[in-house]
Amino acid sequence: MTTKESTPEEIDLSKLFKQFGKVVIHIFGFFKRMGNSIFHFTILFLKFLRFHFKKFIIVAVLGLSLGVYLDNTSLPIYRSSMIIEPNFNSVQQLYNNVEFYNELAKQKESTALVEAFIITEEDAKHIKSIKIESFSDRTQRIKQFSEFIGELDSISQKKVNYEDYLENFNDINAKFHKIEIEATSPEIARKCQNAIVKSIENNEYFTLQKKINDRNIAVKDSIISQQQNEIIGLQEFYKKLKILEAQKPDGRMTSISLGENQVENTVEIELLKQARELKDEKVKINNEKANTENTINIISEFPNKGVLVNDLFSKKIILMPLLCMGGLFFILVIIKLNRFVMNYDENKKNSI
């Protein structure tokens, strides 16, 4: 009786399946150990909470009582927002100014706030925080990306896509920004509005930039107006020329060749096209003039009265119990860890 010899292909395939089986067993073993570890630590955590349950209840009640007391004794907080559009690259200076005002409010430097906002010291004491953040949605970012691409040459346009633009997009790049003031008086924000805007408008650098921009716009406007007048003059000239040709007694108008008519029609069409383009340029310049009339464009002013802040986690009755229980948990974990470290050598000897 003869036995069939195994081919090299069958041997290699058998080894491959064995290796694959070992890998699968190893992966399932890994997930099993991980599941057991998670279950083990969950049980330990629950036992920890069960053992200290009374302590957490006592601390939660104390935090609740403290929260009720603080909510009843503290002044209500009012929030006001203003939407602005900075021009002439003034957004960085605006962010610096607002961050400076916020630090003054945190440190309760009421005298410095009085000088910055030109308000009374009593009003300055009401200010709790001043923040600024970008105010833009996806549509606005796409529009800004289109404007950014339009300013690049054809080679650079191929190297930049929307994803790359978004990766480098930050608060400074946004067109609109929101300034938010929180105070214990609802009327304070409106009193600070002019000072925030004037701090940028009175800056010498931005004042100079605005003057230069106004001059450039005036030059562009003058050139376009001159070109429009020249085109109107040429159109009038061609109209008069046609009238004179039509009024010739010998009827020579009919002898004009088709090629000459085509040239005249082409010139008139080109003049109409240029007139439309200049009209569009005029509209763009008028829009630019309106948008850059001020260093800071106020899109939405601070309201006369702020809105009462009524967020869930801003209430002390919610915040204080969570903080107290979190503090107790941290202390108990530190105590537990300290005991483990102290007994580590002894436990290691006993395990051996």
Side-chain angles (χ1 to χ4, degrees):
M1 180 174 167
T2 60
T3 57
K4 294 182 179 179
E5 294 182 357
S6 299
T7 62
E9 289 80 3
E10 291 175 345
I11 295 172
D12 292 339
L13 190 61
S14 175
K15 289 181 179 180
L16 178 63
F17 277 115
K18 287 181 180 179
Q19 292 295 331
F20 180 73
K22 289 180 181 179
V23 171
V24 172
I25 292 172
H26 180 74
I27 291 174
F28 276 105
F30 170 76
F31 282 109
K32 183 179 179 181
R33 291 191 299 272
M34 181 181 291
N36 290 336
S37 298
I38 293 173
F39 178 77
H40 175 69
F41 282 111
T42 302
I43 295 299
L44 289 178
F45 179 72
L46 292 175
K47 288 179 67 178
F48 175 82
L49 293 181
R50 183 176 179 275
F51 184 77
H52 298 289
F53 182 74
K54 292 182 179 179
K55 297 176 184 177
F56 281 106
I57 292 296
I58 294 172
V59 169
V61 172
L62 291 175
L64 187 67
S65 303
L66 180 60
V68 171
Y69 172 76
L70 292 175
D71 281 336
N72 291 331
T73 55
S74 60
L75 295 173
I77 302 295
Y78 298 90
R79 182 181 296 149
S80 303
S81 300
M82 175 175 66
I83 309 299
I84 59 171
E85 179 189 10
N87 291 320
F88 315 120
N89 298 319
S90 60
V91 62
Q92 183 61 68
Q93 183 62 49
L94 181 65
Y95 269 73
N96 292 341
N97 289 0
V98 171
E99 288 174 5
F100 173 69
Y101 300 149
N102 190 46
E103 287 298 321
L104 293 178
K106 284 182 178 180
Q107 298 173 12
K108 298 182 179 180
E109 295 285 347
S110 56
T111 304
L113 289 173
V114 168
E115 296 176 357
F117 294 133
I118 315 175
I119 55 178
T120 64
E121 189 166 354
E122 187 64 28
D123 289 338
K125 291 179 180 178
H126 288 293
I127 300 174
K128 298 302 178 183
S129 68
I130 306 173
K131 300 176 183 177
I132 184 170
E133 61 181 1
S134 62
F135 186 80
S136 62
D137 54 14
R138 180 177 176 81
T139 303
Q140 187 62 44
R141 291 182 181 182
I142 292 174
K143 184 178 179 181
Q144 287 184 246
F145 174 71
S146 300
E147 295 174 353
F148 172 73
I149 285 293
E151 297 174 354
L152 302 178
D153 55 76
S154 57
I155 297 175
S156 300
Q157 288 177 357
K158 296 178 181 179
K159 296 181 179 180
V160 180
N161 55 39
Y162 183 65
E163 287 72 20
D164 294 334
Y165 179 78
L166 284 183
E167 286 181 4
N168 296 287
F169 190 92
N170 53 40
D171 289 341
I172 304 299
N173 301 128
K175 187 175 183 180
F176 302 109
H177 303 267
K178 179 171 73 172
I179 298 177
E180 190 176 84
I181 294 180
E182 290 187 355
T184 54
S185 175
E187 297 91 2
I188 295 300
R190 191 60 181 267
K191 297 179 180 180
C192 301
Q193 176 175 301
N194 289 335
I196 294 174
V197 174
K198 293 293 183 183
S199 67
I200 302 298
E201 290 184 345
N202 293 338
N203 185 290
E204 293 183 4
Y205 174 77
F206 300 124
T207 301
L208 178 61
Q209 292 297 312
K210 185 181 181 306
K211 287 182 180 179
I212 294 173
N213 182 76
D214 292 343
R215 290 173 185 172
N216 291 337
I217 290 177
V219 171
K220 291 179 184 178
D221 194 20
S222 176
I223 292 173
I224 290 175
S225 297
Q226 184 179 354
Q227 290 175 339
Q228 286 179 324
N229 292 333
E230 290 175 356
I231 288 176
I232 292 172
L234 287 172
Q235 288 174 331
E236 293 293 331
F237 171 75
Y238 275 99
K239 286 181 182 178
K240 290 179 181 179
L241 186 62
K242 283 188 174 182
I243 293 172
L244 291 174
E245 290 288 344
Q247 290 177 350
K248 285 184 178 180
D250 55 358
R252 290 177 61 189
M253 182 65 183
T254 57
S255 65
I256 298 177
S257 65
L258 182 61
E260 290 174 347
N261 271 333
Q262 288 178 342
V263 172
E264 290 180 2
N265 290 336
T266 302
V267 172
E268 290 180 1
I269 292 171
E270 186 63 29
L271 287 175
L272 289 173
K273 181 181 177 182
Q274 290 183 9
R276 284 195 296 269
E277 290 177 352
L278 288 174
K279 184 178 179 181
D280 293 339
E281 288 293 326
K282 191 81 170 178
V283 171
K284 289 181 181 179
I285 286 178
N286 288 336
N287 289 333
E288 185 180 355
K289 188 186 298 184
N291 292 333
T292 59
E293 184 177 358
N294 300 306
T295 307
I296 299 291
N297 292 332
I298 300 176
I299 309 301
S300 175
E301 296 183 337
F302 282 123
N304 291 328
K305 288 189 176 182
V307 178
L308 179 66
V309 178
N310 201 25
D311 302 336
L312 182 63
F313 287 99
S314 66
K315 296 180 179 179
K316 302 297 188 298
I317 194 174
I318 301 295
L319 190 60
M320 293 310 298
L322 294 176
L323 288 176
C324 290
M325 287 190 293
L328 176 62
F329 178 79
F330 178 76
I331 293 172
L332 292 175
V333 168
I334 293 297
I335 294 173
K336 190 78 174 177
L337 182 61
N338 182 60
R339 288 176 181 173
F340 175 78
V341 172
M342 294 291 291
N343 301 325
Y344 179 77
D345 294 333
E346 184 178 346
N347 293 332
K348 189 174 181 181
K349 289 179 182 179
N350 294 333
S351 63
I352 295 174

